[in-house]
Amino acid sequence: MLANLSAMMTHGFKSSKQDFIFGPWKVTAAKTHIMKSKDIERLGEEMHMPSLPEMLFGDNVLRIQHTDGYGIEFNAIDALKRVNNMQDSVKVACAQEWQESRADSEHSKEAVKHYDWTYTTDYRGTLLGEDQQMRATETLERIDMEKLKAREQIMFFDDVLLFEDELHDHGVSMISVKIRVMPTSFFLLLRFFLRVDGVLIRINDTRLYHERFSLQTGKNYMIREFSTRESKISELKNVPAALYTDPNEIAQHLTLKLTECEKLELPETGPHPGDTEAPQ
């Protein structure tokens, strides 16, 4: 059931909010305008970052929430909090130039020494819930990608951009999240894409999959897969340069560096109306 669909023009950007009910889950996709410069400046100080992405959508969010309050959401601010957690910052000739173009305060000049100017983040989502949350545990189980290739009605789809930066015309750094809901499951992809021209391409993907709980499957959990792929441009000589700007095309050519899989186990709260019945 699609509800609360609203749209308006705000500061020249079209804002929208969509809610979709999937059994006991509510999927919310909210998109609005870029953060104002004064808010970005304040946020940068709070996060001890001398600069934030040129296009930062601080109020954009994709949220999956159970009627009992727990769930998971994806937002730009929490994604930025994970910058610097991956140890290797890209060292290239243009880094100094890029940093100097934005470091216009003493605070910035000091902080830039410990600053990942590519905004690389290993963000995998923010768990929700005050009284109870889903519990992440390692697993060998994988998302069945073949099952996802099966033709099935897509009842809801949305794509939410969280932030984007052109790295002072030296490439692009961006993160976005998209979801599709089918009659029996939902599948989400959070993708961080980095291209530093002439240097490297990096993709951090978080995939989230959940099948509607039934007595037959008994799968009362979500599967979350995180992966890092990265290659130097010098390693992609046999790949057409036209593919460098297309994350979907270039991903298969990048070297897989890391894969981690988790179960997000749902709290035991008992059955809810709509847990096993047909979607609304």
Side-chain angles (χ1 to χ4, degrees):
M1 180 176 69
L2 200 58
N4 300 333
L5 176 60
S6 62
M8 59 183 174
M9 295 300 292
T10 309
H11 301 295
F13 291 88
K14 187 176 182 180
S15 297
S16 66
K17 179 175 180 291
Q18 295 191 83
D19 290 335
F20 184 82
I21 304 301
F22 178 71
W25 299 97
K26 180 167 76 170
V27 179
T28 299
K31 294 182 277 191
T32 185
H33 56 85
I34 294 173
M35 284 183 71
K36 296 178 181 178
S37 56
K38 63 178 182 179
D39 294 329
I40 289 179
E41 186 175 336
R42 183 175 65 247
L43 180 63
E45 292 177 355
E46 292 175 357
M47 300 180 71
H48 305 290
M49 297 177 70
S51 183
L52 295 177
E54 295 166 322
M55 292 190 291
L56 176 57
F57 297 88
D59 293 323
N60 282 12
V61 66
L62 199 152
R63 181 181 300 114
I64 304 169
Q65 193 159 22
H66 195 275
T67 52
D68 284 330
Y70 61 83
I72 188 169
E73 76 170 34
F74 302 84
N75 66 78
I77 309 304
D78 286 342
L80 285 171
K81 289 178 180 178
R82 297 293 301 179
V83 170
N84 284 335
N85 284 344
M86 299 188 71
Q87 298 301 315
D88 58 328
S89 176
V90 180
K91 303 293 192 300
V92 294
C94 59
Q96 187 66 27
E97 171 194 348
W98 181 90
Q99 291 170 344
E100 289 176 353
S101 73
R102 296 189 172 192
D104 54 1
S105 69
E106 289 304 315
H107 162 72
S108 297
K109 291 173 184 175
E110 180 63 28
V112 82
K113 298 175 184 177
H114 313 287
Y115 180 58
D116 182 355
W117 63 286
T118 68
Y119 303 112
T120 294
T121 175
D122 63 350
Y123 181 56
R124 309 175 192 196
T126 305
L127 294 180
L128 305 175
E130 295 183 3
D131 298 327
Q132 53 189 353
Q133 290 186 345
M134 293 186 290
R135 185 168 64 95
T137 58
E138 292 185 16
T139 183
L140 296 177
E141 185 174 348
R142 299 289 185 267
I143 295 173
D144 187 344
M145 300 305 292
E146 291 303 315
K147 183 181 290 188
L148 285 170
K149 292 178 183 177
R151 289 186 175 274
E152 194 173 8
Q153 177 191 4
I154 297 178
M155 304 187 302
F156 177 79
F157 173 85
D158 215 329
D159 190 348
V160 181
L161 177 62
L162 301 181
F163 70 69
E164 181 172 355
D165 191 284
E166 294 184 349
L167 306 180
H168 201 56
D169 294 327
H170 289 294
V172 67
S173 172
M174 64 181 293
I175 186 168
S176 61
V177 56
K178 57 186 177 183
I179 188 172
R180 73 179 197 250
V181 182
M182 290 75 72
T184 60
S185 62
F186 60 72
F187 177 67
L188 175 148
L189 172 63
L190 172 76
R191 169 164 285 173
F192 170 80
F193 175 67
L194 171 70
R195 187 189 76 251
V196 182
D197 293 335
V199 182
L200 63 76
I201 298 176
R202 174 186 293 155
I203 292 179
N204 289 344
D205 280 343
T206 297
R207 291 177 169 84
L208 187 69
Y209 177 72
H210 177 61
E211 288 186 16
R212 177 185 294 274
F213 177 75
S214 70
L215 297 177
Q216 288 75 27
T217 64
K219 292 186 177 180
N220 206 19
Y221 56 84
M222 300 181 188
I223 295 290
R224 179 168 66 179
E225 294 184 3
F226 175 80
S227 65
T228 294
R229 296 178 181 273
E230 179 182 318
S231 291
K232 295 178 181 178
I233 297 299
S234 60
E235 299 169 340
L236 299 170
K237 292 179 179 178
N238 296 325
V239 179
L243 301 186
Y244 294 179
T245 58
D246 187 334
N248 294 324
E249 292 293 336
I250 196 62
Q252 60 187 310
H253 299 285
L254 303 180
T255 301
L256 181 63
K257 300 287 189 178
L258 173 70
T259 301
E260 295 180 349
C261 299
E262 298 172 304
K263 279 185 180 180
L264 297 183
E265 299 177 354
L266 279 54
E268 296 182 4
T269 57
H272 287 76
D275 274 352
T276 58
E277 62 189 36
Q280 301 180 42

